[in-house]
């Protein structure tokens, strides 16, 4: 029997001595204060707004008077916003307080919040990621600076341009740890833009309350909430997500102002754990239909089999794969994964370096539980073997192409054009920023990726191309029928994938995570991957032989998700699409070589 006794120790808050308080306030007065303020009114593809620029000007004025070094932009495009964010986050590395203010169109799609640039063009909700700046990007950039305190204020809770495809207003914040985040109205609601030529009701009252001497940030927003609620007859109530530690005052108090806090009483509780007589065992295999045997007991293995604690010998096998044997020590419920490696064939022993032989075969493409464009599920039969790149094409590999060809400048953005590119252009040549040689290349359009395959084909005498969408999913599934090649649960995703939860908003060196069962690395996450196909919004008329869909449309298919995406966009069946001339910080490509 194990007994766990947990108690919360007595917490008591003592009044600070006047001298200590004076020292603390002096530090606050001297600390670095940096703000980024953006107001977007004149949208090209969305409804124009009346007052965001007026609100931004008012915020800039009050923040400058409170000692903030303010970066400021009116009617910023998505690129403007991104460049300003990087400049802002760099300033935050000097410590102190950072404040991000945005007034303009904001949208939430599937629970993720995005701020819209004046030139953003979104015909569909799935284009939002590529046309806007995500709130996750902003908060992670601020957190990574390591400064004392960060504040985000969004007067961006306007109507969702996609109606029922997304929520009205902004979604609740799930990653506010260590930050203070305020919305002009509560999550899921829509804020008033105010009368033309004036200020939005939220920013108007926020600025008034900022000027109150000695008001903590919590008091400022509590008072603002009351003022806005009263002014709108209860129609608008600002929302706050507060997980900061320590104090902050927009307008510092006098050093002799003293506040008190309540003493929190302690509490305690105790529980007793009972150890079960048996435990369940689940072994998830890849490929999914491999045979599992427990060789030192009589009962045959089945998923969820109940066993007493102890040692068990396991054997996992399948024709065409290397058998694995091992021992587990069962002391609690276990759910483990075992990946089998294919036996080396004669053809595969001659595979080009960093490529894997993929044998012809059939699979069920699509999903009935995903998005509408993943339907209907249908059988695809790949008729020919092919080689697929183990890794995504890297900066180092792409620079060789750049220095030995005449690439169209509209197919690539180098470091001087976009700071997310790691490729540096000098007068006569290209190079890679140190440390990023083996990261996947990004900021390359579909046309640029195709140009690379043609150059490599001509250079080697072999046929290289982008995989078709069907070939990509065939490789990603690797013989499985689950959401991911390692199962339906996303709990193990971090072992295989760079994505929103661990990507830290940047690309990562290829091959650092586990491969899929066919030995392919980073098939999910790191960067989206261009495919040959034009995008169509369902599978009713797509080829069943693994070839590409070639009826020209306006978008090209990208697959696999990236370091900026959540788990749902990394599923084997998930699809997305982008303009073929788009150059994006999360899109790269992988090569296929024909036999």
């Amino acid at each position: 029997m194990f007994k766990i006794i947990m108690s919360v120790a007595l917490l008591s808050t003592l009044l600070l001595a006047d001298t200590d308080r004076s020292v603390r306030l002096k530090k606050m007065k001297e600390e670095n204060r940096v703000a980024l303020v953006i107001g977007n009114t004149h949208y090209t593809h969305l409804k124009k707004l009346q007052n965001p620029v007026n609100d931004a000007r008012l915020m800039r004025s009050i923040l400058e008077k409170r000692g903030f070094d303010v970066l400021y932009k009116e009617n910023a495009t998505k690129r403007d916003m991104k460049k300003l964010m990087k400049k802002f986050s760099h300033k935050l590395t000097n410590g102190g307080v950072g404040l991000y203010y945005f007034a303009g169109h904001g949208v939430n799609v599937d629970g993720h919040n995005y701020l819209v640039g004046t030139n953003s063009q979104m015909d569909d909700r799935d284009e939002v990621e590529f046309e806007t700046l995500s709130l996750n990007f902003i908060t992670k950039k601020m957190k990574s600076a390591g400064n004392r305190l960060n504040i985000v204020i969004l007067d961006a809770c306007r109507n969702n341009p996609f109606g029922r495809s997304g929520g009205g207003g902004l979604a609740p914040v799930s990653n506010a740890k260590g930050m203070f985040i305020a919305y002009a109205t509560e999550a899921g609601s829509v804020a008033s833009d105010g009368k033309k030529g004036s200020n939005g009701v939220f920013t108007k009252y926020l600025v008034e309350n900022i000027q109150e001497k000695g008001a903590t940030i919590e008091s400022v927003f509590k008072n603002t909430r009351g003022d806005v609620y009263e002014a709108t007859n209860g129609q608008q109530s600002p929302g706050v997500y507060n997980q900061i530690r320590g104090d902050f005052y927009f307008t510092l108090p006098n050093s002799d102002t003293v506040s008190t806090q309540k003493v929190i009483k302690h509490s305690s509780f105790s529980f007793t754990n009972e150890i079960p007589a048996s435990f369940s065992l689940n072994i998830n295999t890849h490929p999914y239909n491999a045979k599992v045997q427990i060789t030192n007991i009589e009962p045959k293995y089945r998923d969820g089999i109940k066993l007493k604690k102890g040692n068990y010998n396991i054997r996992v096998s399948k024709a065409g794969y290397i058998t694995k044997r091992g021992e587990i020590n069962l002391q609690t419920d276990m759910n483990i994964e075992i990946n089998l490696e294919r036996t080396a064939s004669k053809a595969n022993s001659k595979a080009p370096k960093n490529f894997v032989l993929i044998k012809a075969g059939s699979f069920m493409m699509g999903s009935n539980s995903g998005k509408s464009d993943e339907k209907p599920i249908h059988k695809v039969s790949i008729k020919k073997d092919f080689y697929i790149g183990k890794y995504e094409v890297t900066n180092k590999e792409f620079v060789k192409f750049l220095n030995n060809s005449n690439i169209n400048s509209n197919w690539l953005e180098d470091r001087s054009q976009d700071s997310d590119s790691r490729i540096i252009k000098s007068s006569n040549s290209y190079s890679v920023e140190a440390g990023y040689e083996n990261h996947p290349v990004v900021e390359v359009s579909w046309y640029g990726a195709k140009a690379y395959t043609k150059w490599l084909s001509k250079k080697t005498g072999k046929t290289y191309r982008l995989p078709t969408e069907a070939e990509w999913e065939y490789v990603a599934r690797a013989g499985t029928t689950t959401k991911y090649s390692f199962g339906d649960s996303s709990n193990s995703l971090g072992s295989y994938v760079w994505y929103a939860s661990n990507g830290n908003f940047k690309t990562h060196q290829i091959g650092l995570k586990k491969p899929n069962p066919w030995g392919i690395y980073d098939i999910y996450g790191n960067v989206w991957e261009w495919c040959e196909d034009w995008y169509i919004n369902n599978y009713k008329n797509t080829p069943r032989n693994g070839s590409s869909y070639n009826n020209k449309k306006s978008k090209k298919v990208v697959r696999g998700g990236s370091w900026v995406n959540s788990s749902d966009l990394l599923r084997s069946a998930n699809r997305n699409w982008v303009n073929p001339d788009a150059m994006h910080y999360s899109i790269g490509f992988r090569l296929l070589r024909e036999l």
Side-chain angles (χ1 to χ4, degrees), residues 180-200:
F180 189 101
I181 299 179
Y183 291 173
T185 189
E186 60 192 338
S189 299
V190 178
S192 169
D193 194 25
K195 296 179 181 180
K196 186 175 182 180
S198 62
N199 292 108

Side-chain angles (χ1 to χ4, degrees), residues 117-362:
T118 54
N119 65 337
S120 298
Q121 183 174 5
M122 301 165 289
D123 299 322
D124 191 279
R125 64 202 296 269
D126 284 341
E127 294 181 317
V128 170
E129 174 193 341
F130 303 106
E131 292 289 329
T132 62
L133 202 65
S134 74
L135 180 57
N136 278 341
F137 176 82
I138 293 164
T139 56
K140 286 199 173 184
K141 279 287 186 182
M142 294 176 77
K143 288 178 183 178
S144 66
N147 54 310
R148 181 177 79 85
L149 186 146
N150 284 307
I151 304 162
V152 176
I153 304 172
L154 302 180
D155 196 349
C157 313
R158 271 73 181 186
N159 280 318
N160 192 301
F162 305 115
R164 286 175 293 175
S165 297
L170 297 178
V173 177
S174 59
N175 61 341
K177 186 176 181 181
M179 303 191 75
F180 189 101
I181 299 179
Y183 291 173
T185 189
E186 60 192 338
S189 299
V190 178
S192 169
D193 194 25
K195 296 179 181 180
K196 186 175 182 180
S198 62
N199 292 108
V201 63
F202 168 70
T203 297
K204 172 187 172 183
Y205 286 110
L206 173 60
V207 169
E208 286 184 8
N209 285 293
I210 282 175
Q211 299 175 65
E212 183 180 345
K213 182 177 288 188
T216 64
I217 188 171
E218 292 85 359
S219 295
V220 166
F221 281 90
K222 181 179 179 180
N223 294 337
T224 300
R225 183 185 299 117
D227 292 339
V228 171
Y229 187 87
E230 183 177 347
T232 60
N233 295 316
Q235 297 299 306
Q236 184 174 333
S237 179
V240 167
Y241 302 86
N242 179 13
Q243 294 190 23
I244 64 173
R245 293 183 294 176
D247 295 328
F248 176 73
Y249 306 90
F250 285 99
T251 305
L252 288 167
N254 296 326
S255 60
D256 59 353
T257 303
V258 178
S259 63
T260 61
Q261 299 181 21
K262 295 179 181 179
V263 174
I264 303 172
K265 294 183 179 180
H266 73 284
S267 59
S268 65
F269 56 91
S270 65
F271 290 92
T272 298
N273 286 345
E274 294 185 2
I275 301 175
S278 61
F279 304 101
S280 64
L281 175 64
N282 281 287
I283 299 177
N284 302 310
T285 67
H286 308 289
Y288 73 96
N289 54 353
K291 183 178 181 180
V292 179
Q293 297 170 285
I294 306 176
T295 60
N296 60 334
I297 61 171
E298 185 81 18
K300 291 184 178 180
Y301 170 81
R302 66 182 186 282
D303 288 343
I305 187 173
K306 292 289 187 179
L307 300 170
K308 295 180 179 180
K309 69 176 182 178
N311 295 325
Y312 295 93
N313 299 327
I314 307 298
R315 182 179 186 271
V316 182
S317 60
K318 180 176 170 58
Y321 291 81
I322 300 172
T323 298
K324 282 193 174 182
R325 293 180 174 84
E327 181 182 80
I328 63 170
N329 180 247
L330 191 67
Q331 297 293 330
T332 185
D333 292 340
M334 291 188 72
N335 192 336
I336 62 176
E337 298 176 8
I338 297 179
N339 295 322
L340 298 184
E341 298 176 8
R342 289 192 174 210
T343 54
S345 66
K346 183 176 180 180
N348 207 32
S349 65
K350 297 179 181 178
K353 184 180 179 181
N354 292 333
F355 281 79
V356 174
L357 175 70
I358 304 298
K359 300 293 289 183
S362 300

Side-chain angles (χ1 to χ4, degrees), residues 335-566:
N335 192 336
I336 62 176
E337 298 176 8
I338 297 179
N339 295 322
L340 298 184
E341 298 176 8
R342 289 192 174 210
T343 54
S345 66
K346 183 176 180 180
N348 207 32
S349 65
K350 297 179 181 178
K353 184 180 179 181
N354 292 333
F355 281 79
V356 174
L357 175 70
I358 304 298
K359 300 293 289 183
S362 300
F363 76 108
M364 299 305 293
M365 185 174 182
S367 169
N368 280 331
S369 60
K371 298 183 296 185
S372 61
D373 65 351
E374 298 167 19
K375 301 176 177 68
I377 289 182
H378 57 288
K379 184 177 181 179
V380 173
S381 296
I382 308 291
K383 300 298 184 182
K384 296 181 180 179
D385 298 352
F386 59 88
Y387 296 117
I388 194 75
K390 276 187 181 181
Y391 314 106
E392 292 153 335
V393 174
T394 65
N395 289 312
K396 180 172 64 176
E397 292 168 328
F398 200 78
V399 158
K400 290 180 181 178
F401 158 60
L402 294 175
N403 288 328
N404 290 278
S405 64
N406 295 315
I407 187 171
N408 186 321
S409 60
N410 294 324
W411 294 347
L412 166 77
E413 287 190 332
D414 59 50
R415 189 63 183 273
S416 67
Q417 297 166 303
D418 194 306
S419 58
D420 281 310
S421 176
R422 303 301 175 180
I423 293 179
I424 301 168
K425 183 180 180 181
S426 59
S427 57
N428 299 316
S429 65
Y430 292 86
S431 60
V432 182
E433 181 181 348
Y436 290 89
E437 293 84 354
N438 291 317
H439 286 227
V441 65
V442 293
E443 303 285 359
V444 177
S445 71
W446 183 85
Y447 298 110
K450 288 290 290 181
Y452 180 87
T453 65
K454 291 178 181 178
W455 168 78
L456 190 60
S457 297
K458 183 177 181 180
K459 178 183 176 183
T460 62
K462 307 294 182 181
T463 301
Y464 290 89
R465 59 175 172 83
L466 300 175
T468 68
E469 188 175 14
E471 290 165 340
W472 188 96
E473 188 168 325
Y474 181 56
V475 170
R477 289 189 178 278
T480 68
T481 59
T482 46
K483 286 183 180 180
Y484 313 99
S485 64
F486 49 82
D488 283 321
S489 173
S490 61
N491 291 342
S492 300
L493 206 54
S495 298
Y496 294 86
V497 178
W498 296 110
Y499 70 124
S501 293
N502 64 1
N504 199 26
F505 277 83
K506 63 180 180 180
T507 60
H508 293 266
Q509 181 178 320
I510 58 171
L512 295 182
K513 295 293 186 179
K514 290 181 180 179
N516 79 353
W518 288 359
I520 312 302
Y521 293 83
D522 302 312
I523 195 72
Y524 310 125
N526 216 358
V527 295
W528 291 95
E529 298 177 11
W530 288 114
C531 293
E532 287 280 355
D533 307 58
W534 292 99
Y535 173 80
I536 187 170
N537 63 2
N538 62 65
Y539 285 135
K540 291 179 181 178
N541 298 309
T542 56
R544 269 34 180 181
N545 63 356
S547 59
S548 62
Y549 181 80
N550 288 325
N551 292 349
K552 188 171 182 179
K553 303 289 183 181
S554 61
K555 315 285 185 182
K556 283 291 185 179
V557 173
V558 290
R559 286 295 208 115
S562 76
W563 45 266
V564 76
N565 298 122
S566 59

